[in-house]
Amino acid sequence: MPPQPFRLPQGGRIDRSRSLAFTFNGRRYDGHPGDTLASALLANGVALVARSFKYHRPRGVMSAGAEEACAFVQLGEGARSDPNCRATQIELFDGLTAASLNCWPNVQLDFGVVSDRLHRLLPAGFYYKTFMWPRRGWLTYEKLIRRAAGLGRAPSEPDPDRYEKRFAHADLLIAGGGPAGLAAALAAGRTGARVILADENGEFGGQLLWRDAEIDGEPALRWVERSLAELSSLPEVRLLPRSTVAGYYDHNFLTVLERVTDHLSPFAAPTATPRQRLWKVRARQVVLATGAIERPLVFINNDLPGIMLAGAAQAYIRRHAVRPGGRAVIFTNNDSAYETVAALSEAGVAITAVIDARAGDTAAAEACLRRGIEVLRGHAVIDASGGHALREVTVAPLDGSATALAGAASTLRCDLLCVSGGWSPTVHLFSQSGGKLAFDAASGCFIPGESRQAERSAGAARGSFDLAACLAEGHAAGLAAARAAGFAGPDSPPPQAPAQAMSPIRPLWEVPSPHQGRRDRKFVDLQNDVTAADIALAAREGYRSVEHTKRYTTAGMGVDQGKTGNLNTLAILAGETQGAIPAVGTTTFRPPYTPVTIGALAGRGVGDFYDPVRKTPMSPWHEARGAVFEPVGKWRRPLYYPGPGEGMEAAVRRECLAVRNAVGLCDASTLGKIDIKGRDAVTLLDRVYTNSWGSLAIGRCRYGLMLKDDGMVFDDGVTTRLGERHYLMTTTSGHAEAVFGWLEEWLQCEWLGLDVYLTSVTTHWATAMLAGPRAREVLAAAGTDIDTSRAGSPYMTVREGHVAGIPARLFRVSFTGELSFEINVPARYGLALWETLMAAGAAFGIEPIGTEALHVLRAEKGYIVVGHDTDGTVTPYDLGMGWIVDQKKPDFIGKRGLRRSDLVRTGRRQLVGLLTDDPAQIIPEGSQIVRSGASLAATPVPMLGHVTSSYWSPALQRSIAMALIEGGQDRQGEAVEAVLPDRTLRAVIGTSRFYDPEGVRLHG
Amino acid sequence: MLLIPCPWCGPREEGEFAPGGEGHIRRPEPQAASDQDWAEYLYYRTNPKGLHFERWVHAAGCRRWFNVARDTVTHEIRAVYKMSENRPEGL
Ligand SMILES: [Zn+2]
């Protein structure tokens, strides 16, 4: 075969001087700049492009745009491979590779075809009917079905491309750069308004790129060129080609996916440029000039390669200079397909006949007849046949109702059938905006009705299919939008085109069959292989709602979202249920209009940018020391510091023993810190904590517990009085933001009169926690002017001075039960302080301590960690911390909540200690606790509670655990069992103060 | 994606704000409140279809709480007003 045998010798918007080599299914072909993959395949005579999703039927190119329901390909290879791409929208580039979807071993010979022969076994809803029994079977069936169905293959390698997001504000965003969109942009742009004009194609012009039309007395494409030149000269107008307005959200927020380099070879694309850019546009006004989508006609075997929308055939001829067939039949129910007849004639395609469902005379048919082209009026194509490609069609006369045939059938030979069932306005964005659709009975389609946002539809998107109307409406909409956005600039005359007289459409939703009672394959959804019979079956089975029918039959649920098939589907459903089309209504249009890559949605937010990491000033030291980190909120904290050849267990034991026997140093900079000032600071503390704060002297610290107003524990921490009206509150590391927000909310919403000022100072300070019996000696060695003696710095006090020459606040608090100092220095000194303390501590056996050791040490003391030992359903009384609740205070947050009936009942889960009978056994955290000797056979087994904290205690040389257990405080000494997957562990309930219960050691 | 007119900062993207649920929920006098009163304060919300009075905080902006009257069907924001102000009349 000669190269590109179906390429026309002249015309079209392709550059014949350059050839682009590409590979499809492993074979090399050539195309030209200006081609899409679809047009290049057609030019090379490749009719069979893919296999269908369910029945693996052969499929070709059926459209020339975003509505494509058949020609899906896997584009590219390796990490850049993209599944489910529409061949009709892939701009050809040199080196492009693509492959068919849904076929094995290849598109010519596909074993999945067996499912086509078995189609009677795969009716609508077959997933629900067949594979849900036995229930476990679905897990197996699903894998098999998914492999057979094939949705393309997602690459497993990381995406090598870069994506970005951009925000934009516009007075007017115009979706669609056809005649209406261009006219709108000119009218609005001339007033000085800031306009963004986005079009999904590489070239602006819409249907003008392939229709034979005149505007302002010259060829339409000249007008397009002049318009683009003028728009480019307007400083406030931005033209976005290859940009799909994908989503229309609330308050005129729209997303636009710009495919910046997809039309270039990945190797030729400039490296500094992102592959795609997601625009997030807030527009004062929106004009929807999104055009219309042609509908297929529903007859037997209407999915064969070679059957194409009439408008698409015209586009391939006039825009891409491709002859889509050698001998054509045209099947239509409206006037628009007659333009295709003219285009086919120009391209030298033999025309067997035009089959027009309309019985009466039309001007368009008359014109054809005058040119010697046969027109069969009141006829329909009822069947098509051929193997991998169309060979002939069967035609027959329709009766007056179009629900039955009125005469004998005959066959016509052809390799191309151009179909037009009328046009459906592309109302997707309008519908996403919340606008209500109205049914236009004359055109047989849904058009925009009542608007909900500041938008206007214009042209074909509004159901105005005549070019003159498109231009007039586009101009009017653009001008009105500019005026509404506050631009009084000059009006200009709208572009003009000769008006066309159109004969009315004859609605034909389903072509009658020549026989009764057979399940014919008349496809309504070509991507998901849904037939008219499937819709009828769903209706017979009782489906009435279009939303339910969609899900049951999967009509409209493919990658194409039913752009071509949805109206046919719901019209057939309306017929089957004796309802009217407007009453059946449409399914919900949801963003995006066409698929958006995850890469574009993620933008730069991948890898290190996915979630910012907070680091303390001491982080470089931890990293150099080889610490193993754990996430705590957005912080990364050292979990433990392994020694050479040391695992976690050994490291944690070593760190714990260092604190108990010598000294340890822990980076506690992540503790939340809130500076509180003002006349009413103490009132705030009294209201947000359960205990009283009026008696706290300057320089003293106090532990506090915070509740929500339901009485449940929310946070805890130590607050210190720094001055007369000045406090420093600390919060748990993970809860700092939540507590700060909580205080703000109460001050702003409930206690508006309080004179309190809050400042988040968490990162102003670096905190080194020095803990262990030798902590004082380390401080002395590091050098301090603060009296750190028992008398000079008693437990729960703060002193200000210097440590290692650095200005410091020295808090004598303890989370480990040992003598402990929390040294706060301005953050920029944090690393210097840490290094000095580590050096000074070397002589005393100092070890850096991670969070795991810290947790073990606090658990040995029975100290809770909020969020670990509590879960939002735990009160202070449940924790055995009734001592911290001052019921004499008139009110505090949670006080009334604590009196609720469920919170005062007996038998609530209470925090207790658990010691296993076998000291070597550690109960896994989260384990359920049951009565000792409870039968595990009789389900459900009554649960007494669960384990909240559990560790190996190096100091006690045994396991320890804390648990929330029903009535636990009255069960001291009672044996229970912890349930593990394969066994139970016996344990005895006791106190959770495992180590130094008298608290002697923390005074040092 | 709402465009929320912060009373202090002007119109800003929804992402800068955090919702705080229904507004004008009165915290009952704790001593006098029955369990039912307290439950209604904690948990009961009107959840209307249509006009909803709610409060938002400009979390990534001025960190101010304020009231918003928003239509839950159309998402139209009919009014914004400060915490100290009463529900506007005639919406
Ligand atoms: Zn603000």
Side-chain angles (χ1 to χ4, degrees), chain A residues 378-729:
Chain A
H379 276 61
V381 171
I382 59 168
D383 196 350
S385 59
H388 286 174
L390 181 67
R391 273 200 315 270
E392 63 179 30
V393 296
T394 308
V395 300
L398 290 166
D399 79 354
S401 67
T403 57
L405 302 179
S410 56
T411 57
L412 301 172
R413 290 196 73 82
C414 59
D415 60 3
L416 173 67
L417 175 64
C418 301
V419 295
S420 180
W423 294 77
S424 296
T426 309
V427 293
H428 300 64
L429 292 173
F430 170 79
S431 191
Q432 287 176 28
S433 79
K436 286 202 168 54
L437 295 173
F439 189 69
D440 178 352
S443 300
C445 60
F446 283 95
I447 58 171
E450 191 188 324
S451 288
R452 207 181 71 195
Q453 300 204 39
E455 51 73 31
R456 293 166 176 80
S457 294
R462 196 170 159 264
S464 304
F465 301 120
D466 171 50
L467 177 58
C470 288
L471 293 167
E473 287 180 14
H475 177 86
L479 188 67
R483 295 280 185 259
F487 289 84
D491 189 2
S492 50
Q496 302 286 340
Q500 279 173 285
M502 303 273 263
S503 303
I505 187 172
R506 179 182 191 187
L508 182 61
W509 305 113
E510 179 183 352
V511 174
S513 297
H515 36 63
Q516 290 294 317
R518 268 182 50 189
R519 289 193 52 233
D520 298 314
R521 240 73 69 71
K522 300 191 249 183
F523 288 94
V524 291
D525 180 328
L526 279 82
Q527 198 196 1
N528 271 1
D529 277 351
V530 182
T531 64
D534 289 328
I535 306 300
L537 178 63
R540 282 203 303 283
E541 292 182 358
Y543 286 87
R544 293 294 178 271
S545 150
V546 63
E547 294 283 5
H548 294 162
T549 307
K550 162 183 165 172
R551 283 156 183 79
Y552 189 60
T553 62
T554 74
M557 291 177 71
V559 178
D560 66 324
Q561 291 284 289
K563 289 184 175 63
T564 51
N566 276 354
L567 186 54
N568 287 337
T569 299
L570 66 94
I572 290 169
L573 181 66
E576 294 290 337
T577 58
Q578 274 83 51
I581 292 172
V584 170
T586 64
T587 53
T588 310
F589 292 88
R590 291 194 178 84
Y593 173 66
T594 47
V596 174
T597 56
I598 298 288
L601 296 173
R604 302 296 305 277
V606 292
D608 288 345
F609 300 145
Y610 175 64
D611 197 20
V613 173
R614 303 180 78 181
K615 295 184 175 184
T616 72
M618 291 81 128
S619 287
W621 192 94
H622 307 321
E623 280 162 23
R625 173 60 179 74
V628 174
F629 288 88
E630 69 160 343
V632 177
K634 291 210 184 293
W635 294 101
R636 268 170 93 241
R637 296 191 71 181
L639 181 62
Y640 62 96
Y641 299 82
E646 214 177 27
M648 175 164 174
E649 217 169 287
V652 171
R653 279 176 206 204
R654 174 177 49 74
E655 292 173 19
C656 288
L657 290 173
V659 172
R660 292 285 178 235
N661 301 327
V663 62
L665 188 63
C666 180
D667 182 355
S669 305
T670 60
L671 271 185
K673 303 171 203 67
I674 302 169
D675 189 272
I676 303 175
K677 283 180 177 168
R679 205 169 48 239
D680 298 316
V682 71
T683 308
L684 175 72
L685 296 175
D686 270 337
R687 290 183 183 178
V688 298
Y689 281 128
T690 59
N691 49 351
S692 292
W693 293 81
S695 59
L696 187 71
I698 292 172
R700 305 289 304 195
C701 315
R702 184 167 286 171
Y703 174 77
L705 205 54
M706 241 179 236
L707 311 183
K708 291 254 165 138
D709 233 347
D710 57 3
M712 303 304 177
V713 172
F714 165 53
D715 201 59
D716 70 346
V718 168
T719 291
T720 302
R721 188 168 183 190
L722 294 173
E724 182 60 32
R725 293 172 179 174
H726 187 192
Y727 293 81
L728 183 76
M729 174 185 281

Side-chain angles (χ1 to χ4, degrees), chain B residues 6 8-9 17 58 61-64:
Chain B
C6 172
W8 281 269
C9 309
F17 299 83
H58 195 182
C62 64
R63 294 200 65 84
R64 283 283 172 176

Side-chain angles (χ1 to χ4, degrees), chain A residues 329-350:
Chain A
V329 169
I330 294 90
F331 176 25
T332 185
N333 66 346
N334 68 89
D335 270 2
S336 71
Y338 285 87
E339 274 190 38
T340 302
V341 175
L344 290 166
S345 297
E346 282 165 33
V349 178

Side-chain angles (χ1 to χ4, degrees), chain A residues 119-138:
Chain A
H119 74 276
R120 275 157 209 277
L121 302 177
L122 300 171
F126 81 108
Y127 293 102
Y128 305 101
K129 286 168 178 158
T130 314
F131 296 105
M132 288 306 172
W133 187 91
R135 270 173 66 197
R136 275 166 177 270
W138 172 248

Side-chain angles (χ1 to χ4, degrees), chain A residues 210-224:
Chain A
W210 46 265
R211 284 178 71 176
D212 185 16
E214 277 192 4
I215 296 174
D216 288 345
E218 60 183 348
L221 284 169
R222 283 287 314 283
W223 176 80
V224 172

Side-chain angles (χ1 to χ4, degrees), chain A residues 112-169:
Chain A
V113 161
V114 72
S115 69
D116 191 29
R117 313 247 155 85
L118 296 176
H119 74 276
R120 275 157 209 277
L121 302 177
L122 300 171
F126 81 108
Y127 293 102
Y128 305 101
K129 286 168 178 158
T130 314
F131 296 105
M132 288 306 172
W133 187 91
R135 270 173 66 197
R136 275 166 177 270
W138 172 248
L139 300 174
T140 310
Y141 300 143
E142 188 188 13
K143 285 189 196 119
L144 292 172
I145 290 169
R146 292 217 185 279
R147 191 181 308 155
L151 282 163
R153 187 182 53 79
S156 50
E157 303 90 334
D159 190 336
D161 289 313
R162 202 158 61 77
Y163 302 81
E164 68 179 35
K165 290 185 209 177
R166 187 157 169 188
F167 289 87
H169 293 266

Side-chain angles (χ1 to χ4, degrees), chain B residues 21-74:
Chain B
E22 185 168 357
H24 302 289
I25 304 277
R26 197 183 61 84
R27 187 172 187 259
E29 175 55 45
Q31 302 302 327
S34 67
D35 271 11
Q36 183 61 35
D37 294 337
W38 206 254
E40 285 182 6
Y41 153 65
L42 287 176
Y43 304 120
Y44 285 58
R45 299 296 181 261
T46 55
N47 192 26
K49 182 178 180 182
L51 188 61
H52 188 230
F53 294 91
E54 56 198 19
R55 69 191 196 195
W56 288 72
V57 60
H58 195 182
C62 64
R63 294 200 65 84
R64 283 283 172 176
W65 282 90
F66 58 96
N67 289 303
V68 175
R70 179 179 65 98
D71 188 313
T72 58
V73 178
T74 64

